[in-house]
Amino acid sequence: MADQAKVRTIIDEDDVKSFEQALSALELNLATVQKVIERNAHESLAEDSHNGVHLSLYVMHTKAVIMLCRQLLESNEGVKS
């Protein structure tokens, strides 16, 4: 498993200090990708259609990962209580 002190987000150069901070950065990355998809939705160039598919798959996968991580955090909090 990766040492948390060596994990960095894509947007920031600072070390990740908590799991919640990593999830927040992932949600910000997801929002950025969704804005790119929305901006390019009107452009239906055939040669770029595969980019939209890849970005859409990234969004679906990232949403699932975020949801799973949030569930794990909640269940972990329940165990600590």
Side-chain angles (χ1 to χ4, degrees):
M1 180 150 187
D3 180 10
Q4 263 193 345
K6 295 181 182 176
V7 176
R8 295 177 184 223
T9 65
I10 293 171
I11 300 214
D12 199 350
E13 290 294 322
D14 295 332
D15 292 339
V16 171
K17 307 256 187 292
S18 68
F19 194 66
E20 290 84 2
Q21 182 185 8
L23 276 174
S24 294
L26 187 59
E27 289 171 334
L28 178 60
N29 293 344
L30 178 61
T32 302
V33 170
Q34 287 176 313
K35 289 291 183 189
V36 169
I37 290 172
E38 288 171 14
R39 227 178 325 172
N40 294 323
H42 303 295
E43 298 175 15
S44 59
L45 300 175
E47 63 269 8
D48 290 335
S49 64
H50 66 282
N51 291 336
V53 171
H54 292 290
L55 289 175
S56 296
L57 289 173
Y58 170 82
V59 167
M60 289 174 22
H61 171 76
T62 304
K63 283 181 178 180
V65 168
I66 290 170
M67 186 173 58
L68 177 61
C69 290
R70 293 274 179 221
Q71 289 172 348
L72 289 171
L73 276 174
E74 288 175 13
S75 67
N76 191 32
E77 288 299 318
V79 170
K80 287 183 181 179
S81 302

